Amino acid sequence: MQEQIDKAVDVLKSGGLIGLPTETVYGLAAAINIPQAVKKIFLLKERPFFDPLIVHVTGIEQAKEVVADWPQLAQVLAEKFWPGPLTIVLKKQLHIDSLITADLETVGVRCPAHPLAQQVISQAGVPLAAPSANKFGKTSPTAAEHVRAEFTSESVFVLDGGPCQIGVESTVLGINATEVLIYRPGMVSAEQIAQAAKGAGIEVKVSYLSSMASPGNFKEHYMPRKPLVIKKGQGQLTTGQRENISTRLGVRPEHFVELKLPQEAALAARVLYAEFRRLADQEGDYILYSVGDTLLDEQFAAIWDRLNRAASLMLF
Ligand code: TXA
Ligand code: MG
């Protein structure tokens, strides 16, 4: 494995891109101090330049080299949730390329827990900018082969770190004196964040920022290769729903494959994207997901967010 890590670091240092395993999803990573490499991320992903990238660091010390202020609350949250699936958006230092931050004054920093990600960043000696390693708007990769399949003709060295343990992207949040704003829900929940702050004697209001607060928060995102239809309740499709499906999507309503998710949120998150891919490869015109009541629980917030954005049609 050390050989693979050395190769990954060589690629990064010479301005190339790698598929970086993290505990959430695989990233498409570049060294933050090589602007051409950072630019390549946007080109390969076909990602608009107004959607900022997350900077991955080995820990709090390195985060402080990226951000201009490190408030007490950032310290508390980083101590509690790093390394792990939490991205903290803070004022950036001047030297951080505006391409990374899409011209914003802020930068998102995250310390990933995957040991290979840790080793690569530390050996590279520089933080890595990395979005999820999928084409823009498509399903994020949770295994090395997903990254290879996404970038077949482009030059990306994929470091194989096995399947991702968490399976959905990190919680992205912004901080001010009295408030934490969640830009993107992840498996670190609003409740856990409030608890952690409270435990350190900081009273904050934690709320979800809706819609475009995060430039990457598009309604249509995470799309599987077949349309996803979401309906409420476990019963059969009604005649009205069938008609809706065929007129809106131009598919045969009876030709679907069904998405089933584990009852436990952590397990559901782990398999969600792999299931999107597996089902898209099967016979059938579309993927159908029937929503049960548990999906509305707080610990399913991240999963529900992704399903919502991935859906081509919601039947409610
Ligand atoms: O788990 C993850 O976060 C994965 C792994 C690879 O670390 N990365 C990831 O990156 O999901 P990406 O680029 O697919 O999503 C990053 C999100 C985008 O929605 C982006 O708009 C938001 O974070 N973001 C980044 N910097 C921001 C900033 N300065 N202000 C607001 N939102 C920001
Ligand atoms: Mg993404």
Side-chain angles (χ1 to χ4, degrees):
M1 190 39 84
Q2 187 57 47
E3 220 172 88
Q4 296 287 300
I5 296 170
D6 292 347
K7 168 91 203 273
V9 171
D10 281 350
V11 170
L12 289 166
K13 284 186 169 167
S14 57
L17 304 187
I18 67 158
L20 177 75
T22 87
E23 72 282 18
T24 57
V25 300
Y26 275 70
L28 184 65
I32 62 162
N33 59 347
I34 308 181
Q36 308 91 296
V38 172
K39 188 169 178 193
K40 237 184 259 172
I41 292 179
F42 289 89
L43 300 179
L44 258 62
K45 259 189 77 96
E46 296 157 25
R47 177 181 177 115
F49 286 104
F50 60 76
D51 192 1
L53 306 176
I54 292 172
V55 171
H56 297 71
V57 295
T58 48
I60 292 173
E61 285 317 302
Q62 203 173 40
K64 288 180 182 168
E65 293 165 19
V66 174
V67 302
D69 305 317
W70 185 252
Q72 179 58 21
L73 185 53
Q75 180 70 23
V76 168
L77 296 180
E79 277 176 12
K80 179 82 185 173
F81 299 109
W82 280 5
L86 178 70
T87 297
I88 307 175
V89 174
L90 292 165
K91 193 163 185 301
K92 79 173 184 95
Q93 284 196 18
L94 277 178
H95 71 89
I96 301 296
D97 191 343
S98 60
L99 205 53
I100 293 174
T101 61
D103 277 331
L104 297 173
E105 297 284 294
T106 55
V107 62
V109 281
R110 165 165 124 77
C111 170
H114 197 297
L116 290 185
Q118 281 283 333
Q119 283 184 57
V120 170
I121 305 167
S122 115
Q123 206 172 308
V126 59
L128 302 180
S132 51
N134 49 277
K135 296 278 180 180
F136 183 67
K138 299 289 188 264
T139 305
S140 303
T142 51
E145 59 266 26
H146 300 162
V147 185
R148 291 195 194 101
E150 196 84 347
F151 301 101
T152 44
S153 51
E154 297 94 344
S155 164
V156 175
F157 174 74
V158 183
L159 187 59
D160 193 341
C164 299
Q165 288 299 299
I166 300 216
V168 296
E169 302 82 349
S170 62
T171 304
V172 179
L173 54 77
I175 290 175
N176 66 36
T178 55
E179 246 187 326
V180 169
L181 300 168
I182 298 182
Y183 298 150
R184 177 178 71 185
M187 295 310 282
V188 172
S189 69
E191 199 178 318
Q192 286 175 293
I193 290 158
Q195 283 296 328
K198 198 167 175 198
I202 306 174
E203 283 290 340
V204 283
K205 182 167 163 277
V206 182
S207 38
Y208 289 98
L209 260 194
S210 55
S211 68
M212 297 303 282
S214 198
N217 266 352
F218 301 97
K219 166 67 187 85
E220 281 168 21
H221 218 135
Y222 315 107
M223 293 289 222
R225 277 173 291 107
K226 269 189 190 142
L228 171 68
V229 175
I230 299 184
K231 79 169 173 57
K232 201 171 178 180
Q234 302 294 336
Q236 300 270 324
L237 288 167
T238 64
T239 312
Q241 287 174 329
R242 283 165 185 271
E243 275 169 16
N244 220 331
I245 290 169
S246 76
T247 43
R248 294 282 296 281
L249 299 177
V251 297
R252 297 167 298 174
E254 66 283 8
H255 286 76
F256 59 81
V257 280
E258 207 160 351
L259 170 64
K260 301 259 186 208
L261 292 174
Q263 292 293 311
E264 204 187 311
L267 297 179
R270 193 175 298 162
V271 300
L272 180 71
Y273 292 147
E275 282 297 284
F276 279 5
R277 287 166 197 275
R278 190 180 66 82
L279 293 172
D281 283 342
Q282 291 189 359
E283 291 279 321
D285 292 359
Y286 67 99
I287 301 169
L288 181 67
Y289 182 67
S290 301
V291 179
D293 296 334
T294 47
L295 203 67
L296 304 174
D297 295 352
E298 151 81 9
Q299 74 266 37
F300 281 87
I303 298 161
W304 185 227
D305 171 75
R306 306 310 189 269
L307 282 167
N308 246 297
R309 291 177 200 280
S312 294
L313 184 58
M314 304 281 286
L315 300 171
F316 278 84

